[in-house]
Amino acid sequence: MDNVPSRARVSVTISDQHAESFYFRLGDYAAGALTGVLTALAVRGVVGPHWDMVLAMLVGMALGMIIHLLLGLLLMPVLGGFEVMIPGAMIGMYGGMLFGMRDSMQYADVSLRTALAVGALFGLIVIFGVRWWDRQLRGEAFVGPKHGASNQE
């Protein structure tokens, strides 16, 4: 045949078995950004500059969890449970805590537009991290050469 080793010809990655379309990935990132923006908006609407930081973090976490659960109910049929709930929980809980802490300390220094942009960026970063880690856990599976095929190159 050609000069490609037999192992390279039959290699298969697990992610190929679950091929994702571009629009699915785009929806995944859009859901993460939306979760981050809505969490930042809710926290900004509730937490004020005179709040205790710990209380602001706890309220922000609760708001983020509620938002991610409500969005999860809407987006799960379209994107799937893992793709919505795992990153959504991280965005909602950790983002809510971070946004609550920020708004209790720097409410007047950070505009609403900047707060929402940070929320969207946080959501995108979490989606990227979860997708990257999922890919690392799945790894790459190599199928050996077919029976009777020689290993010579």
Side-chain angles (χ1 to χ4, degrees):
M1 298 189 105
D2 50 17
N3 291 334
V4 178
S6 61
R7 190 170 23 168
R9 280 195 306 268
V10 294
S11 68
V12 176
T13 60
I14 294 174
S15 62
D16 288 342
Q17 295 172 358
H18 304 286
E20 297 175 341
S21 71
F22 171 75
Y23 296 112
F24 179 79
R25 280 182 260 159
L26 186 65
D28 202 12
Y29 280 99
L34 181 64
T35 305
V37 166
L38 291 178
T39 300
L41 184 63
V43 170
R44 177 53 74 104
V46 173
V47 174
H50 301 293
W51 280 52
D52 178 62
M53 188 184 309
V54 174
L55 183 60
M57 289 175 67
L58 292 174
V59 169
M61 180 181 67
L63 288 171
M65 287 173 30
I66 291 168
I67 288 170
H68 111 77
L69 287 173
L70 292 175
L71 275 177
L73 291 174
L74 295 173
L75 296 175
M76 250 193 287
V78 178
L79 296 174
F82 176 83
E83 289 78 7
V84 172
M85 295 306 286
I86 301 299
M90 293 176 150
I91 296 166
M93 291 173 64
Y94 293 122
M97 287 175 23
L98 293 172
F99 304 151
M101 183 172 53
R102 179 204 54 213
D103 287 342
S104 71
M105 294 187 314
Q106 299 176 334
Y107 189 86
D109 297 336
V110 178
S111 69
L112 177 62
R113 185 176 183 174
T114 303
L116 297 181
V118 169
L121 181 64
F122 183 75
L124 293 173
I125 290 170
V126 169
I127 292 291
F128 176 80
V130 169
R131 290 178 64 82
W132 178 82
W133 187 249
D134 183 48
R135 191 163 313 227
Q136 298 304 311
L137 290 176
R138 290 177 191 248
E140 192 170 338
F142 289 102
V143 178
K146 293 181 181 178
H147 295 289
S150 66
N151 286 337
Q152 298 175 359
E153 298 179 8

